[in-house]
């Protein structure tokens, strides 16, 4: 089994440095992928939306999401003129905390994310989390 501890630390560091940033409106998956990829000089290969990535990776519902896990939610609304279940995703900081882009990059309890609202969108509905080994398995170096 591969030890992803250092990669997770780098992704978390990159993400937390972006707290308060408004660079990722409606682009939660891009934020999480940038944290993992730019934080480590790698490329990962998920879906083109948070929901597609959740379906691709699968998820676990038991226990608190561990640090480095991707935390997935169902969320539907309009984006670029298309309305569908785009999903929502954040990066677990451990101890129930998730950093994610919801208008701005912010940290919330993984269950409190379900109370967030945006006009025209459903509230996020928690699906579960994917361990780092799952989404990092096919990563390739960009160097």
């Amino acid at each position: 089994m591969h030890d992803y501890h250092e990669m997770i630390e780098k992704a978390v560091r990159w993400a937390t440095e972006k707290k308060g940033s408004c660079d990722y409106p409606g682009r939660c998956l891009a934020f999480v992928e940038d944290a993992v990829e730019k934080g480590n000089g790698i490329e990962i290969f998920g879906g083109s939306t948070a929901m597609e990535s959740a379906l691709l990776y699968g998820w676990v519902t038991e226990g608190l999401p561990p640090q480095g896990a991707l935390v997935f939610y169902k969320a539907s609304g309009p984006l670029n003129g298309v309305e569908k279940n785009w999903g929502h995703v954040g990066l677990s900081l451990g101890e129930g905390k998730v950093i994610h882009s919801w208008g701005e990059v912010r940290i919330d309890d993984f269950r409190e994310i379900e109370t967030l609202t945006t006009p025209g969108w459903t509230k996020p509905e928690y699906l579960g989390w994917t361990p780092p080994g799952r989404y990092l398995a096919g990563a390739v170096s960009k160097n």
Side-chain angles (χ1 to χ4, degrees):
M1 182 164 157
H2 199 283
D3 180 12
Y4 296 108
H5 182 76
E6 186 177 335
M7 293 174 87
I8 292 165
E9 289 291 324
K10 287 179 179 178
V12 165
R13 189 175 320 118
W14 189 96
T16 54
E17 287 172 1
K18 301 294 183 213
K19 187 175 177 222
S21 167
C22 294
D23 292 344
Y24 293 90
R27 299 176 53 235
C28 59
L29 180 62
F31 169 70
V32 169
E33 287 183 343
D34 280 358
V36 173
E37 293 176 343
K38 292 181 177 182
N40 288 286
I42 62 171
E43 187 168 352
I44 60 174
F45 303 94
S48 57
T49 69
M51 194 65 220
E52 285 180 18
S53 290
L55 294 169
L56 176 70
Y57 297 136
W59 58 83
V60 176
T61 56
E62 298 83 33
L64 287 177
Q67 185 181 45
L70 298 185
V71 185
F72 289 105
Y73 302 81
K74 287 194 283 186
S76 298
L79 193 60
N80 301 323
V82 178
E83 184 153 346
K84 69 177 187 177
N85 180 2
W86 298 95
H88 184 63
V89 64
L91 179 67
S92 174
L93 301 176
E95 299 178 355
K97 298 296 181 199
V98 172
I99 189 163
H100 62 117
S101 178
W102 189 272
E104 71 178 46
V105 175
R106 53 187 283 167
I107 297 172
D108 290 293
D109 178 271
F110 81 107
R111 283 299 197 176
E112 289 175 7
I113 289 173
E114 293 182 295
T115 67
L116 298 176
T117 59
T118 294
W121 280 73
T122 61
K123 287 183 180 179
E125 184 181 327
Y126 178 67
L127 290 171
W129 53 272
T130 298
R134 177 72 179 103
Y135 68 83
L136 289 170
V140 296
S141 175
K142 283 188 166 181
N143 301 331

